[in-house]
Each structure stands twice: as structure tokens, then as C-alpha cells.
Amino acid sequence: MHPRPPAPPAPPGAARPGHAGHTRRARGLRAVLSAGAAGALLAGLTTALPAAAQPAPEPDAAAASVVEVTGSQGAWQLTVDGQPYTVKGLTWGPPVAEAADYMPDVASLGANTVRTWGTDATTRPLLDAAAANGVKVIAGFWLQPGGGPGSGGCVDYVADTAYKNDMLAEFPRWVQEYKDHSGVLMWNVGNESVLGLQNCYEGAELERQRDAYTSFVNDVAKKIHEVDPNHPVTSTDAWVGAWPYYKKNAPDLDLYAVNSYAAVCDVRAAWEAGGYDKPYIVTEGGPPGEWEVEDDANGVPEEPSDVAKAEGYGRAWDCVTGHTGVSLGATLFHYGIEDDFGGVWFNLTPDKQRRLSYYAVKEAYGGDTGGDNTPPVISGLAAENAGAVPAGREFTLSADVADPDGDQLTYEVLVNSNYVDQDKALRPAQFRQTGDGTFAVTAPDKLGVWKVYLRATDGKGNVGIETLSVKVVPPPVDGTNIARGKPSTASTEQTDAYGGCPCEAGDATDGSYDTRWASSWADPQWLSVDLGERTSFDHVQLTWEGAFARSYAIQVSDDGQNWQTVYETAEGNGGIDDLEVSGTGRYVRMNGTARGTGYGYSLYEFGVYR
């Protein structure tokens, strides 16, 4: 996912190889962030993607192409065996072992290139499938700390000779293995490490490390050229803030590469202002990422619509091809089918279904669109009272849904808790359709801002997806919270600073969902509130933090010593427990006997109502 120009290098997150999805960066980094590769994919694409030509016979791996950057300043071109070649590509997500199943569909889009982030002993099936379908591969080599802030371990490029020597031995090994394969287009060393080093160093040391890193990239490029003089070498980073370092320290690169999303149309001006003497390719690009959009009313990034995303791919390609003689093409992000937070934001085929962006790329790349059946289009998605949806209660979701081909549609509603607990998974929500484009959806029972997704499928392998956020709040309770502000005690309290603590007993009866009680990490544990006098109540509301009780009881006592159980369960699942339970006593407590996590017990609020 991608950045605005760093100042000077100073993005990703869904996912690099092995990641499950894109992640949101810290607010202050949003201007220089980028997306990365997709993680493991679901198997099988036969029912989801369009019919394409059967794979050609196995290629002659010895029939290597000679790929060159030719021409002069501002009039460059990439050639393959002497013929002009514009990179019309996609970043690659599926497992390489299943490349033969997916590559025909890539070719059907009009794409001629895929880009990877790693090359090793598992790569050959990808190269074979690419060559069999007239596609070539930009084969990547991963360097730490790849992927921008928060991704990958830190390396001391000034002093860590062992790491550098290991990579100088490892990368040429695979170049030697695959250099004569007709599927290879070029080699790509590193991904966003100039940016990523800011997660490891600062000030003058950061500058030293960036100089050392880009000098090392040059060492790798020279070594690759010694092994394989017939394929170019490039290096990718986030936005063009890395290019001054490459210009100074990496003269052996044949071309530059940049990851850029909403800012892709600014790359040309940056190249012209920088006085560079090498062409470039865009190695990740497309619609805006999390870090490039405004926050919505609930304070989280407002994801573009399917229509806007499709337009983003067309716009990106127009800007790439508009820089004639300098930009040699692009691999747009992302040919993947992960069906999670990042997959819905970026993938052309989430859950193995084609969306509007898929067809936008197909149109841009000149694929045959004749007879295509296109996806449903969802607009005007809205949620009733989206800023205060009661946990566990129904709210209304509404939208206008149309299918260009008049297909009968089926619907799903899903939720995602990325902004609550960084879980990227999409989970089915309980819902019922109440009208044409209206749905009664049961809200999650965990507090915080959730993403809600409406998915419309046409039975022809196409999907329309729109999403918005809702803020889940405690459900209202009739009556008065007689525990609020009353003295509370607990079996144990977390007194250190871990997880935003100290977290004392009274923090669960202070009326604030910004504070919490937390116990030690052991069973059993209890939290008790002193109501001051013997009092009757008819409702208890427990608002759990992530550390919840699997088994617990609500108990009452007149003396704080002898307890009577008025409610118990062994099926607690966290979130909010809204309990219609009656009792009478001066003291009321939650007595936890089995934790639901490996942590302790933790409550934002322990409400007792009458």
C-alpha cells in the first residue's frame, strides 16, 4: 500500500509474503506507507475465474530470453529478444505450487508479467506456468527490514557483514538456478527497506544505514550481473524518497522501481525534479490505501467504493503509460484471493470472485472483454446510527444494489475487527433481509469500531463488495447502575504498566469504558462491588476486555464472606454479557473460575442495575 513522498525517506502492512492482509500504519506514518504482497490463498479457482485458454505445453526452460534496457536519457525502452516490451503486470498472490491453475486467468486479462517478493527452491512451478502462458516474472529477493515500518527484522547494514555475505551468496545461487528459464524477465532486490529502516534507526544513524543498505543493493546487483548478464536488475522501495540514495549509491541498477498507490500520478514529476538518469517501473500500484484516505466519522480510514477502486486502477495505468520513454510499465496490486481485511481492500479476486477492479485491469491491459458478465454494483451503503450501534442488538444496513446483467443476486453480511484487535479475518454476521436492499444485522458484542461488509454475488463468479464502519457501544439498560462509583475490591489487580495498566478493581465501576480491571493470569479470580447496603437488582452487564471469563458466576452476599450464586455459565465468550438476573445483597461479585484466554480476567465495566 502506498505513500506520499517521504521527507526525504524519512509504507506496507495487508501483506508481504506470508502475511494475512494489509495493516494500518500509525497516523504519523500514513504519508509514507505502502502495501505488500499477499499471503497464502485458498485452493481452487475453477468456478470463480473466467474460462481461459488451456496452459500451453511445458516451456523449454533453456530457451532463455535476453532482456535489456535500451535507449538513452528519456527515450528508454525495455526489450525482450530485441522486441519492445511494456510491463503490463500484476503482483502475484497464489501459492507458486498452484501457479498452473491461476496463470491462464492472468494471461486472459492481457497481463504479460507478474511480480514476486521472494525467489527460492519453490519458484520453478511459477516460472513454468508463466512461460507456458506467455507471461514473464519479475523475480524478487527479500531483504530486511522489508515492507516498511513494522515489517521484518532490523539489520545493521553498516556492520552486519555476516548477514550481507549470506545474502550475497544466497541470491546469486537462485539467479544461477533460473537465469536460463524463459519465464524470467528481471531480478528485483529488496522491497521498501529504505523506508523500513526508519523503524530501526533515527537521525544520523538512519542516514548511515540507508547509504549502507543502498550500497549493499548495488553489491548484489553487481553479483547478479556477473552470474546473469542477460536480465536487468532493479530494486523496489516505497515512493521515490529512496531514489536519491540509489542514484548516489547504486549505479549498477539497470532501472529503478517504486511502490505507489494514490500517488502514482506524482511519480513522473518527482522523477523529473530529481534529475535521474535511469528509467523506472511501478511495482505496486492501484487505488488508494489505508494511509492515503480520510478517516470516516468513526475515526477509521474510509475505504473507497468498488467503483472508485476500479477507477483507481485505470487512472494508475494511464499515469504509468503517460510517462513515455521513462516509465517502462507496472505490476498493479494485487492478483490475490485472500478474503480478509486487506484482501477486500486490494484483491482483484477476493474469495475467488471477480470484482469491478478485475475488469478495469482487463480493459486497461487490452484483454478480451467481449461477452463478459460483470459484477453487481453496490452504492449508497449506510448503517442506522453507525456511531452508536448497541452491542448484540440489530441495526439496519441499507444500500442500492444493481446488476448490469440482470442476474439474480445473493447476499452476505460480514464483519471485521481489525480496528478493535488487529484481526484481519472477515466473519459472517447474523442478518436477515428486510426489504429491497435493506438488512437487519446483529451487531458484534465487543466494543469498538468494526468494519461491516455487504457482499452481493451474481452466481456467475462476480461479486460486488461495499464496506463501512460502525461503532459498537454497550446496549442501553433500563434503570440505574447502582454499582457505579461504589467501592470495589478484587482477588488480584494488575499493578504494572503492561497493556495500559495499572488496572485496579475500581476501574471497573467508574463508569468509563476507557479504564479496566485486570487480574493476575491464574484461576480463580473475583471482582466484588460494595453497594453500601442490602439492595435488590434485576440486571447485570459485564463488559469484557479481550481477557474474558469462560466460566463464571454472579454471586451476592450480605457480609462479603458468605456467597449465594444467582447466575452461572460455562460458555462465556467475551464481549458484553447482558444478563437478566435478579438478586439481593450488599455485595455483588463476578467469580471467575475458568479463563477464556491465556491472560487473566479483565472488565471494562461491571454494571449492576435496578
Side-chain angles (χ1 to χ4, degrees):
M1 305 184 286
H2 256 95
R4 298 190 187 283
R16 297 284 182 238
H19 288 59
H22 297 77
T23 58
R24 186 187 188 195
R25 270 58 128 209
R27 240 351 222 170
L29 296 174
R30 187 120 26 111
V32 288
L33 297 182
S34 144
L41 298 176
L42 302 176
L45 198 58
T46 54
T47 62
L49 299 182
Q54 292 300 310
E58 285 296 315
D60 179 0
S65 299
V66 175
V67 184
E68 297 178 289
V69 176
T70 63
S72 57
Q73 180 74 12
W76 290 287
Q77 66 177 11
L78 192 66
T79 64
V80 176
D81 295 329
Q83 299 301 309
Y85 187 101
T86 298
V87 176
K88 297 193 297 181
L90 292 164
T91 53
W92 179 259
V96 294
E98 300 173 20
D101 296 330
Y102 295 86
M103 200 65 72
D105 186 59
V106 171
S108 78
L109 292 170
N112 61 11
T113 308
V114 295
R115 180 223 172 176
T116 71
W117 290 261
T119 302
D120 58 21
T122 69
T123 300
R124 187 171 296 277
L126 177 67
L127 294 171
D128 289 347
N133 288 277
V135 174
K136 291 191 178 293
V137 178
I138 298 174
F141 292 111
W142 189 258
L143 286 170
Q144 302 287 38
S151 298
C154 295
V155 172
D156 184 342
Y157 281 96
V158 174
D160 194 342
T161 302
Y163 177 80
K164 292 189 288 184
N165 285 343
D166 286 346
M167 298 304 101
L168 279 171
E170 178 74 5
F171 298 163
R173 170 190 176 192
W174 299 115
V175 173
Q176 179 66 44
E177 177 76 14
Y178 299 122
K179 67 185 179 68
D180 293 325
H181 198 294
S182 59
V184 174
L185 181 68
M186 68 178 73
W187 310 103
N188 189 6
V189 181
N191 184 78
E192 299 189 4
S193 289
V194 172
L195 175 67
L197 284 164
Q198 73 182 23
N199 197 49
C200 306
Y201 304 99
E202 59 185 16
E205 183 57 29
L206 175 59
E207 293 305 300
R208 290 179 67 225
Q209 291 293 334
R210 284 175 165 161
D211 282 331
Y213 168 79
T214 47
S215 295
F216 175 65
V217 167
N218 195 65
D219 292 340
V220 175
K222 287 193 292 186
K223 183 70 72 172
I224 290 175
H225 281 134
E226 291 173 6
V227 176
D228 178 14
N230 292 325
H231 296 95
V233 182
T234 189
S235 183
T236 287
D237 223 280
W239 185 234
V240 295
W243 285 2
Y245 297 91
Y246 288 125
K247 180 180 179 181
K248 176 171 61 170
N249 301 316
D252 287 274
L253 292 176
D254 298 287
L255 69 163
Y256 297 145
V258 61
N259 292 344
S260 187
Y261 290 72
V264 66
C265 292
D266 300 329
V267 173
R268 176 175 183 167
W271 185 90
E272 292 171 345
Y276 300 108
D277 58 1
K278 294 182 187 293
Y280 66 87
I281 56 173
V282 173
T283 41
E284 291 177 27
E290 259 190 292
W291 59 96
E292 295 175 306
V293 298
E294 296 299 321
D295 283 349
D296 66 13
N298 288 321
V300 301
E302 187 167 8
E303 187 166 340
S305 68
D306 261 6
V307 171
K309 290 174 184 177
E311 291 172 347
Y313 284 104
R315 172 178 172 271
W317 185 243
D318 287 345
C319 290
V320 167
T321 56
H323 198 182
T324 307
V326 180
S327 171
L328 305 182
T331 53
L332 299 178
F333 193 90
H334 178 55
Y335 189 84
I337 60 170
E338 303 90 337
D339 189 32
D340 59 7
F341 175 90
V344 169
W345 198 301
F346 282 106
N347 286 347
L348 303 184
T349 56
D351 197 29
K352 303 176 287 183
Q353 296 176 309
R354 301 175 300 265
R355 62 200 304 191
L356 290 174
S357 295
Y358 175 98
Y359 294 98
V361 171
K362 189 174 187 179
E363 182 176 356
Y365 285 172
D368 182 5
T369 59
D372 280 346
N373 182 291
T374 53
V377 178
I378 304 172
S379 58
L381 184 66
E384 175 190 19
N385 197 23
V389 173
R393 307 281 178 86
E394 282 191 342
F395 67 94
T396 298
L397 192 68
S398 61
D400 295 321
V401 187
D403 187 85
D405 306 290
D407 296 321
Q408 184 174 351
L409 303 180
T410 58
Y411 296 96
E412 294 176 273
V413 178
L414 305 104
V415 293
N416 167 261
S417 60
N418 180 56
Y419 298 124
V420 176
D421 56 13
Q422 292 75 59
D423 187 345
K424 307 299 179 187
L426 270 58
R427 307 187 188 284
Q430 181 179 334
F431 77 98
R432 53 193 175 88
Q433 189 166 357
T434 54
D436 186 12
T438 61
F439 309 86
V441 182
T442 300
D445 67 354
K446 189 172 184 178
L447 300 188
V449 178
W450 290 70
K451 293 288 288 291
V452 178
Y453 299 77
L454 177 63
R455 189 193 303 264
T457 55
D458 64 1
K460 304 296 177 60
N462 297 310
V463 63
I465 307 172
E466 291 301 323
T467 181
L468 50 67
S469 75
V470 297
K471 185 175 184 179
V472 176
V473 299
V477 178
D478 291 337
T480 301
N481 182 4
I482 56 177
R484 183 172 180 173
K486 296 297 175 61
S488 298
T489 56
S491 52
T492 60
E493 299 175 330
Q494 186 175 317
T495 58
D496 58 35
Y498 181 81
C501 292
C503 300
E504 300 174 344
D507 292 332
T509 54
D510 62 358
S512 171
Y513 293 93
D514 295 326
T515 59
R516 63 187 176 96
W517 160 71
S519 76
S520 63
W521 298 5
D523 292 317
Q525 301 289 339
W526 53 263
L527 173 71
S528 174
V529 58
D530 181 358
L531 302 179
E533 61 183 0
R534 197 168 189 269
T535 308
S536 295
F537 60 89
D538 56 20
H539 196 95
V540 171
Q541 189 176 87
L542 303 175
T543 306
W544 296 100
E545 193 250 356
F548 65 94
R550 181 74 65 197
S551 297
Y552 69 90
I554 302 299
Q555 300 175 319
V556 295
S557 174
D558 289 332
D559 58 9
Q561 301 295 322
N562 299 292
W563 296 93
Q564 176 187 355
T565 296
V566 294
Y567 172 86
E568 61 184 335
T569 182
E571 298 178 351
N573 60 1
I576 292 181
D577 289 341
D578 213 28
L579 309 175
E580 296 293 337
V581 55
S582 299
T584 302
R586 173 175 173 173
Y587 301 91
V588 183
R589 78 173 181 178
M590 185 288 301
N591 187 41
T593 52
R595 291 166 290 153
T597 72
Y599 301 100
Y601 297 81
S602 184
L603 282 167
Y604 286 117
E605 281 295 300
F606 179 21
V608 180
Y609 293 83
R610 69 171 181 184

